[in-house]
Amino acid sequence: MKRCVGVILLLQLLAWGAHAQTLSLDSCIAMAIRENTQLQVAKLKAGMATETRKAARTKYLPHIEAVGSYIRTGKEVSLLSDEQKNKISNMGSTIAQTLTGQLQAAMSSQEGLVQVAQIAQLLGIPVQTLPNLIEASKQPIGNIAQALNTEGGVIVDALRTDTRNAFVAAVTLTQPIYMGGKVVNGNKMADIAEAIANLKLDQAADEVKYNVENTYYLVVGVEHKKQLADEYASLVAKLEQDVTKMIEEGVATKADGLKVSVKLNEAQMQQLQAENGLTLSKMLLCKLCGLPLDSQISVDTSIASQENNINTSNNRRELKMLGEAVKLYNTKVKVERSEHLPQIALMGGYMASNPNVFNGFDNSFKGTWNVGLVATIPVWDWNETHHKVKAAKQQAAIAQLELSDAEQMINLQITQTHFKYNEAVKKLNVTQKNFEKAEENLRCANMGFEEGVMTTTDVMMAQTAWLQAKTQKIEAEIEVITAQLALNHAYGN
């Protein structure tokens, strides 16, 4: 029955292995970088910084704006006062009254009569009617007054602006010439911000890679422990078979058989624990790679030393980002200081309006072009800019302090990681020697047991010591690799 179950399990494992996807470390890193959400966010932020940098470049170029508006007002703009409108509309009547008065005054003297006669001749009034001149002149003077009043009304109407409905359209071009350094330094800040965003993207990719590497070698380590558990279970199973035969031959007791059976049960439990640990570690690796958690995967279980791959050049992204932050805040000081400086821009455009002022407020669109220089010179802002400059300087000082502190902390981290790496190497050397001794001890115990000079307990103790020594050796090998990875990560490589 046990053999049947073993055959079924073996066939099932072979079937799973046939469908299992073999993943290399590089393929896991590539999938994790492609699927990691935080890394995708970092890529989008880097793209945002690039677009912001491109937008900052446009500040060097002329900007064109088009504006259109319609305004309805309750009253129109008047070029004449009400008094002036009244005078112009009634100027004929006023002139007639003045002329009649002058005639009456002139007819009271001899010289005036001569002048009146001349006026009557101009008006076409017979001289014989001079005594009745005033009555005779009323009609022609009235005609003239009416004509003048009409023309006055025409003039008043012509001077109406009709601005209650106003339409305005304008196109304006603005070309910065000197902005006090704001545009130049603003572009520098955009460049620095883009560099920081790219460094954050690289840092996020490094973290993803580091996590995948650690998890990958965790799977490798658990895979080796699983193989070791299987190998140990096989040793104990073989010992059980030998003891069973010896019991049948009467050279061993049932107590020996029970001891081996208990040890076999322990070995099988270790197999189960190793299998569960391997499943969980593979699920974690699948999660990092963006694969379904129940994916059947396998990894390359070879353990190769990376001692020669340690790069001791410090390329920490954090230091580079903090260095860029110092540049950013120093540049921000210049941007804030530019508010104190004059700003000059070239402006030009075309504006049209209806009613237009170029043809007596005619109800049609007409316009004209314009060009000029605009200069803005700050005079007094209650020291607002001064305080902003001081705040920017303090931000730059904070960034410098953070950079210095980070350098010290990173150097401390590198030193600690070096110690851990050296400890791991020494531990590996010790466990290697212990395993060699345990392996030789197990070989001697097996030979002594076959020759009858060693007991079952001696063999089981040798097997346990061998299991412990090889477990420690596997853990030390993985620890060296992870320490190497941590050391490279601490250097930012």
Side-chain angles (χ1 to χ4, degrees), residues 222-261:
V222 177
E223 183 75 50
H224 276 273
K225 289 182 179 180
K226 172 65 170 60
Q227 295 173 1
L228 177 60
D230 294 339
E231 188 175 357
Y232 176 68
S234 298
L235 289 176
V236 178
K238 183 178 182 302
L239 178 62
E240 184 190 36
Q241 293 176 357
D242 293 340
V243 171
T244 300
K245 292 179 180 179
M246 294 173 65
I247 293 174
E248 293 174 353
E249 294 174 359
V251 294
T253 65
K254 289 185 178 180
D256 294 330
L258 291 174
K259 290 180 182 179
V260 176
S261 296

CSV table of all heavy atoms in Angstrom, one decimal, residues 222-261:
chain,number,residue,atom,x,y,z
A,222,VAL,N,15.0,27.1,0.3
A,222,VAL,CA,13.9,26.2,0.7
A,222,VAL,C,13.9,24.9,-0.2
A,222,VAL,O,13.6,23.8,0.3
A,222,VAL,CB,12.6,26.9,0.7
A,222,VAL,CG1,11.5,25.9,1.1
A,222,VAL,CG2,12.6,28.1,1.7
A,223,GLU,N,14.2,25.1,-1.5
A,223,GLU,CA,14.3,24.0,-2.4
A,223,GLU,C,15.4,23.0,-1.9
A,223,GLU,O,15.2,21.8,-1.9
A,223,GLU,CB,14.5,24.5,-3.8
A,223,GLU,CG,14.5,23.4,-4.9
A,223,GLU,CD,13.1,22.9,-5.2
A,223,GLU,OE1,12.2,23.7,-5.4
A,223,GLU,OE2,12.9,21.7,-5.2
A,224,HIS,N,16.5,23.6,-1.6
A,224,HIS,CA,17.6,22.7,-1.1
A,224,HIS,C,17.2,22.0,0.2
A,224,HIS,O,17.6,20.8,0.4
A,224,HIS,CB,18.9,23.6,-0.9
A,224,HIS,CG,19.7,23.8,-2.1
A,224,HIS,ND1,20.6,22.9,-2.6
A,224,HIS,CD2,19.6,24.7,-3.1
A,224,HIS,CE1,21.1,23.3,-3.7
A,224,HIS,NE2,20.5,24.5,-4.0
A,225,LYS,N,16.5,22.7,1.1
A,225,LYS,CA,16.1,22.1,2.3
A,225,LYS,C,15.1,21.0,2.1
A,225,LYS,O,15.1,20.0,2.8
A,225,LYS,CB,15.5,23.2,3.3
A,225,LYS,CG,16.6,24.1,3.9
A,225,LYS,CD,16.0,25.1,4.8
A,225,LYS,CE,17.0,26.0,5.5
A,225,LYS,NZ,16.4,27.0,6.4
A,226,LYS,N,14.2,21.2,1.1
A,226,LYS,CA,13.3,20.2,0.7
A,226,LYS,C,14.0,19.0,0.2
A,226,LYS,O,13.7,17.8,0.5
A,226,LYS,CB,12.3,20.8,-0.4
A,226,LYS,CG,11.4,19.7,-1.0
A,226,LYS,CD,10.4,19.2,0.0
A,226,LYS,CE,9.3,18.3,-0.7
A,226,LYS,NZ,9.9,17.2,-1.4
A,227,GLN,N,15.0,19.2,-0.7
A,227,GLN,CA,15.8,18.0,-1.2
A,227,GLN,C,16.5,17.3,0.0
A,227,GLN,O,16.6,16.1,0.0
A,227,GLN,CB,16.8,18.5,-2.2
A,227,GLN,CG,16.1,19.1,-3.5
A,227,GLN,CD,17.1,19.7,-4.4
A,227,GLN,OE1,18.3,19.7,-4.2
A,227,GLN,NE2,16.7,20.3,-5.5
A,228,LEU,N,17.0,18.2,0.9
A,228,LEU,CA,17.7,17.6,2.1
A,228,LEU,C,16.7,16.8,2.9
A,228,LEU,O,17.1,15.6,3.4
A,228,LEU,CB,18.3,18.7,2.9
A,228,LEU,CG,19.0,18.2,4.2
A,228,LEU,CD1,20.2,17.3,3.9
A,228,LEU,CD2,19.5,19.4,4.9
A,229,ALA,N,15.5,17.3,3.1
A,229,ALA,CA,14.5,16.5,3.9
A,229,ALA,C,14.2,15.2,3.2
A,229,ALA,O,14.0,14.2,3.8
A,229,ALA,CB,13.2,17.4,4.0
A,230,ASP,N,14.1,15.2,1.9
A,230,ASP,CA,13.8,14.0,1.1
A,230,ASP,C,14.9,13.0,1.3
A,230,ASP,O,14.7,11.8,1.5
A,230,ASP,CB,13.6,14.3,-0.4
A,230,ASP,CG,12.3,15.2,-0.6
A,230,ASP,OD1,11.4,15.1,0.3
A,230,ASP,OD2,12.2,15.8,-1.7
A,231,GLU,N,16.2,13.6,1.2
A,231,GLU,CA,17.3,12.7,1.3
A,231,GLU,C,17.4,12.1,2.7
A,231,GLU,O,17.7,10.9,2.9
A,231,GLU,CB,18.6,13.5,1.0
A,231,GLU,CG,19.9,12.7,0.9
A,231,GLU,CD,21.1,13.5,0.4
A,231,GLU,OE1,20.9,14.7,0.2
A,231,GLU,OE2,22.2,13.0,0.4
A,232,TYR,N,17.1,12.9,3.7
A,232,TYR,CA,17.2,12.4,5.1
A,232,TYR,C,16.1,11.4,5.3
A,232,TYR,O,16.3,10.3,6.0
A,232,TYR,CB,17.0,13.6,6.0
A,232,TYR,CG,16.9,13.2,7.5
A,232,TYR,CD1,18.1,12.7,8.1
A,232,TYR,CD2,15.8,13.3,8.2
A,232,TYR,CE1,18.0,12.3,9.5
A,232,TYR,CE2,15.7,13.0,9.6
A,232,TYR,CZ,16.8,12.5,10.2
A,232,TYR,OH,16.8,12.1,11.5
A,233,ALA,N,14.9,11.6,4.7
A,233,ALA,CA,13.8,10.6,4.9
A,233,ALA,C,14.2,9.3,4.2
A,233,ALA,O,13.9,8.2,4.7
A,233,ALA,CB,12.5,11.2,4.3
A,234,SER,N,14.9,9.4,3.1
A,234,SER,CA,15.4,8.2,2.4
A,234,SER,C,16.4,7.4,3.3
A,234,SER,O,16.3,6.2,3.4
A,234,SER,CB,16.0,8.5,1.1
A,234,SER,OG,15.0,9.2,0.2
A,235,LEU,N,17.3,8.2,3.9
A,235,LEU,CA,18.3,7.5,4.8
A,235,LEU,C,17.6,6.8,6.0
A,235,LEU,O,17.9,5.6,6.3
A,235,LEU,CB,19.3,8.6,5.4
A,235,LEU,CG,20.3,9.1,4.4
A,235,LEU,CD1,21.1,10.2,5.0
A,235,LEU,CD2,21.2,8.1,3.8
A,236,VAL,N,16.6,7.5,6.6
A,236,VAL,CA,15.9,6.9,7.7
A,236,VAL,C,15.1,5.7,7.3
A,236,VAL,O,15.0,4.7,7.9
A,236,VAL,CB,15.1,7.9,8.4
A,236,VAL,CG1,14.3,7.3,9.6
A,236,VAL,CG2,15.9,9.1,9.0
A,237,ALA,N,14.5,5.8,6.1
A,237,ALA,CA,13.6,4.7,5.5
A,237,ALA,C,14.5,3.5,5.3
A,237,ALA,O,14.1,2.4,5.5
A,237,ALA,CB,12.9,5.2,4.3
A,238,LYS,N,15.7,3.7,4.7
A,238,LYS,CA,16.6,2.6,4.5
A,238,LYS,C,17.0,2.0,5.8
A,238,LYS,O,17.1,0.7,5.9
A,238,LYS,CB,17.8,3.1,3.7
A,238,LYS,CG,18.8,2.0,3.3
A,238,LYS,CD,20.0,2.5,2.5
A,238,LYS,CE,20.9,1.3,2.1
A,238,LYS,NZ,21.4,0.6,3.3
A,239,LEU,N,17.3,2.8,6.8
A,239,LEU,CA,17.6,2.3,8.1
A,239,LEU,C,16.5,1.5,8.7
A,239,LEU,O,16.7,0.4,9.3
A,239,LEU,CB,18.0,3.4,9.0
A,239,LEU,CG,18.4,3.0,10.5
A,239,LEU,CD1,19.6,2.1,10.5
A,239,LEU,CD2,18.6,4.3,11.3
A,240,GLU,N,15.3,1.9,8.5
A,240,GLU,CA,14.1,1.2,9.0
A,240,GLU,C,14.0,-0.2,8.3
A,240,GLU,O,13.7,-1.2,9.0
A,240,GLU,CB,12.8,2.0,8.7
A,240,GLU,CG,11.6,1.3,9.3
A,240,GLU,CD,10.3,1.9,8.9
A,240,GLU,OE1,10.2,2.4,7.7
A,240,GLU,OE2,9.3,2.0,9.7
A,241,GLN,N,14.3,-0.2,7.0
A,241,GLN,CA,14.2,-1.5,6.3
A,241,GLN,C,15.3,-2.5,6.8
A,241,GLN,O,15.0,-3.7,7.1
A,241,GLN,CB,14.5,-1.3,4.8
A,241,GLN,CG,13.3,-0.5,4.1
A,241,GLN,CD,13.6,-0.2,2.7
A,241,GLN,OE1,14.7,-0.6,2.2
A,241,GLN,NE2,12.7,0.4,2.0
A,242,ASP,N,16.5,-1.9,7.1
A,242,ASP,CA,17.6,-2.7,7.6
A,242,ASP,C,17.3,-3.3,9.0
A,242,ASP,O,17.5,-4.4,9.3
A,242,ASP,CB,18.9,-1.9,7.6
A,242,ASP,CG,19.4,-1.6,6.2
A,242,ASP,OD1,19.0,-2.3,5.3
A,242,ASP,OD2,20.2,-0.6,6.1
A,243,VAL,N,16.7,-2.4,9.8
A,243,VAL,CA,16.4,-2.8,11.2
A,243,VAL,C,15.2,-3.8,11.2
A,243,VAL,O,15.2,-4.8,12.0
A,243,VAL,CB,16.0,-1.6,12.0
A,243,VAL,CG1,15.4,-2.0,13.4
A,243,VAL,CG2,17.2,-0.7,12.2
A,244,THR,N,14.3,-3.6,10.3
A,244,THR,CA,13.2,-4.6,10.2
A,244,THR,C,13.7,-6.0,9.8
A,244,THR,O,13.3,-7.0,10.4
A,244,THR,CB,12.2,-4.2,9.1
A,244,THR,OG1,11.7,-2.9,9.5
A,244,THR,CG2,11.1,-5.1,9.0
A,245,LYS,N,14.7,-6.0,8.9
A,245,LYS,CA,15.3,-7.3,8.5
A,245,LYS,C,16.1,-7.9,9.7
A,245,LYS,O,16.0,-9.1,10.0
A,245,LYS,CB,16.2,-7.1,7.4
A,245,LYS,CG,15.5,-6.8,6.1
A,245,LYS,CD,16.5,-6.6,4.9
A,245,LYS,CE,15.8,-6.3,3.6
A,245,LYS,NZ,16.8,-6.0,2.5
A,246,MET,N,16.7,-7.0,10.5
A,246,MET,CA,17.5,-7.5,11.6
A,246,MET,C,16.6,-8.1,12.7
A,246,MET,O,16.9,-9.0,13.4
A,246,MET,CB,18.4,-6.4,12.1
A,246,MET,CG,19.5,-5.9,11.2
A,246,MET,SD,20.4,-4.5,11.7
A,246,MET,CE,21.2,-5.1,13.2
A,247,ILE,N,15.4,-7.4,12.9
A,247,ILE,CA,14.5,-7.9,13.8
A,247,ILE,C,14.0,-9.3,13.4
A,247,ILE,O,13.8,-10.2,14.3
A,247,ILE,CB,13.3,-6.9,14.0
A,247,ILE,CG1,13.8,-5.6,14.6
A,247,ILE,CG2,12.2,-7.5,14.8
A,247,ILE,CD1,12.7,-4.5,14.7
A,248,GLU,N,13.7,-9.5,12.1
A,248,GLU,CA,13.3,-10.8,11.6
A,248,GLU,C,14.3,-11.8,11.9
A,248,GLU,O,14.0,-13.0,12.1
A,248,GLU,CB,12.9,-10.6,10.2
A,248,GLU,CG,11.7,-9.8,9.9
A,248,GLU,CD,11.4,-9.6,8.4
A,248,GLU,OE1,12.3,-10.0,7.6
A,248,GLU,OE2,10.4,-9.0,8.1
A,249,GLU,N,15.6,-11.4,11.8
A,249,GLU,CA,16.7,-12.4,12.0
A,249,GLU,C,17.1,-12.5,13.4
A,249,GLU,O,17.9,-13.3,13.8
A,249,GLU,CB,17.9,-11.9,11.2
A,249,GLU,CG,17.7,-11.9,9.7
A,249,GLU,CD,18.9,-11.4,8.9
A,249,GLU,OE1,19.9,-10.9,9.6
A,249,GLU,OE2,18.8,-11.3,7.6
A,250,GLY,N,16.5,-11.7,14.3
A,250,GLY,CA,16.7,-11.8,15.7
A,250,GLY,C,17.9,-11.1,16.2
A,250,GLY,O,18.4,-11.4,17.4
A,251,VAL,N,18.6,-10.3,15.4
A,251,VAL,CA,19.8,-9.6,15.9
A,251,VAL,C,19.5,-8.2,16.3
A,251,VAL,O,20.4,-7.4,16.6
A,251,VAL,CB,20.8,-9.5,14.7
A,251,VAL,CG1,21.3,-10.9,14.4
A,251,VAL,CG2,20.2,-8.9,13.5
A,252,ALA,N,18.2,-7.8,16.3
A,252,ALA,CA,17.8,-6.4,16.8
A,252,ALA,C,16.5,-6.6,17.5
A,252,ALA,O,15.7,-7.5,17.3
A,252,ALA,CB,17.6,-5.5,15.6
A,253,THR,N,16.2,-5.6,18.4
A,253,THR,CA,15.0,-5.7,19.2
A,253,THR,C,13.9,-4.8,18.6
A,253,THR,O,14.1,-4.0,17.7
A,253,THR,CB,15.3,-5.2,20.6
A,253,THR,OG1,15.6,-3.8,20.6
A,253,THR,CG2,16.4,-6.0,21.2
A,254,LYS,N,12.7,-5.1,19.1
A,254,LYS,CA,11.5,-4.2,18.6
A,254,LYS,C,11.7,-2.8,19.1
A,254,LYS,O,11.2,-1.8,18.4
A,254,LYS,CB,10.2,-4.8,19.1
A,254,LYS,CG,9.8,-6.1,18.5
A,254,LYS,CD,8.4,-6.6,19.0
A,254,LYS,CE,8.0,-7.9,18.3
A,254,LYS,NZ,6.7,-8.3,18.8
A,255,ALA,N,12.4,-2.6,20.2
A,255,ALA,CA,12.6,-1.2,20.7
A,255,ALA,C,13.5,-0.5,19.6
A,255,ALA,O,13.2,0.7,19.4
A,255,ALA,CB,13.4,-1.3,22.0
A,256,ASP,N,14.4,-1.2,19.0
A,256,ASP,CA,15.2,-0.5,18.0
A,256,ASP,C,14.3,-0.1,16.8
A,256,ASP,O,14.4,1.0,16.2
A,256,ASP,CB,16.4,-1.4,17.5
A,256,ASP,CG,17.4,-1.7,18.6
A,256,ASP,OD1,17.6,-0.8,19.4
A,256,ASP,OD2,18.0,-2.8,18.6
A,257,GLY,N,13.4,-1.0,16.5
A,257,GLY,CA,12.5,-0.7,15.3
A,257,GLY,C,11.6,0.5,15.6
A,257,GLY,O,11.3,1.3,14.8
A,258,LEU,N,11.1,0.5,16.9
A,258,LEU,CA,10.3,1.7,17.3
A,258,LEU,C,11.0,3.0,17.2
A,258,LEU,O,10.5,4.0,16.8
A,258,LEU,CB,9.7,1.4,18.7
A,258,LEU,CG,8.7,0.3,18.8
A,258,LEU,CD1,8.3,0.0,20.3
A,258,LEU,CD2,7.4,0.6,18.0
A,259,LYS,N,12.3,3.0,17.7
A,259,LYS,CA,13.1,4.2,17.6
A,259,LYS,C,13.2,4.7,16.2
A,259,LYS,O,13.1,5.9,15.9
A,259,LYS,CB,14.5,3.9,18.2
A,259,LYS,CG,14.5,3.7,19.7
A,259,LYS,CD,15.9,3.5,20.2
A,259,LYS,CE,15.9,3.2,21.7
A,259,LYS,NZ,17.3,2.9,22.2
A,260,VAL,N,13.5,3.7,15.3
A,260,VAL,CA,13.7,4.1,13.9
A,260,VAL,C,12.3,4.6,13.3
A,260,VAL,O,12.3,5.6,12.5
A,260,VAL,CB,14.2,3.0,13.1
A,260,VAL,CG1,14.3,3.3,11.6
A,260,VAL,CG2,15.6,2.6,13.6
A,261,SER,N,11.2,4.0,13.7
A,261,SER,CA,9.9,4.4,13.2
A,261,SER,C,9.6,5.8,13.6
A,261,SER,O,9.0,6.6,12.8
A,261,SER,CB,8.8,3.4,13.7
A,261,SER,OG,9.1,2.1,13.1
